Amino acid sequence: MANDDAAVLAAVGPRLRALRKKRDLTLSRLAETTGISASTLSRLESGERKPNLELLLPLARAYEVPLDELVGAPPVGDPRVPLRPIRHGDSTIVPLTQQAGGPQAFKMVIPADRRDPDPRTHEGYEWLYVLSGTLRLVLAEHDIVLKPGEAAEFDTRLPHWFGSSGDGPVEILSLFGPQGERMHVRAKPRSARRP
């Protein structure tokens, strides 16, 4: 890591010189614009002086470039999760987590014709959030209909089944913890609640 930092810092000087030449500026003119002495600017460009924030900020303003461009910051990686839908029976499941173990997130699309309850049990804990459509959840002796924006959580060792209420397909987000992890929703502390 230290070698990477040294390489980034070593590249700043040539980058500063290239920007100045591209804009056809002299060291004297750049010194007037930035308030940094011409000798300090020259030492920065030659690598004799290490760049710091106090020197780079005025230069970034003078060149009208982001600070990242002066230091050659590495590009930020692509934050998108590659979506690879899986067909599971009559449903489409899109895994949203890439690592194995621990809680897993899924987006599920359940077809309108999945209406006949077939409760199952397995180890774990599940949290469901309805994105669109109406979800019918059968959980032990409960038979509930959830609308968009509503959520449910339950121990999957209880007999459970979920499907469409019959009014069309349902899209849900599901967080599943195979070891029985529970989801935690933060609420206001009791002292902050009004009576």
Side-chain angles (χ1 to χ4, degrees), residues 139-157:
L139 178 64
E141 70 275 2
H142 301 283
D143 194 334
I144 306 163
V145 173
L146 299 167
K147 296 177 181 164
E150 293 186 307
E153 62 178 314
F154 53 91
D155 187 324
T156 58
R157 292 175 295 182

Side-chain angles (χ1 to χ4, degrees), residues 187-195:
K188 290 182 182 176
R190 289 181 188 259
S191 61
R193 291 186 185 156
R194 293 185 180 172

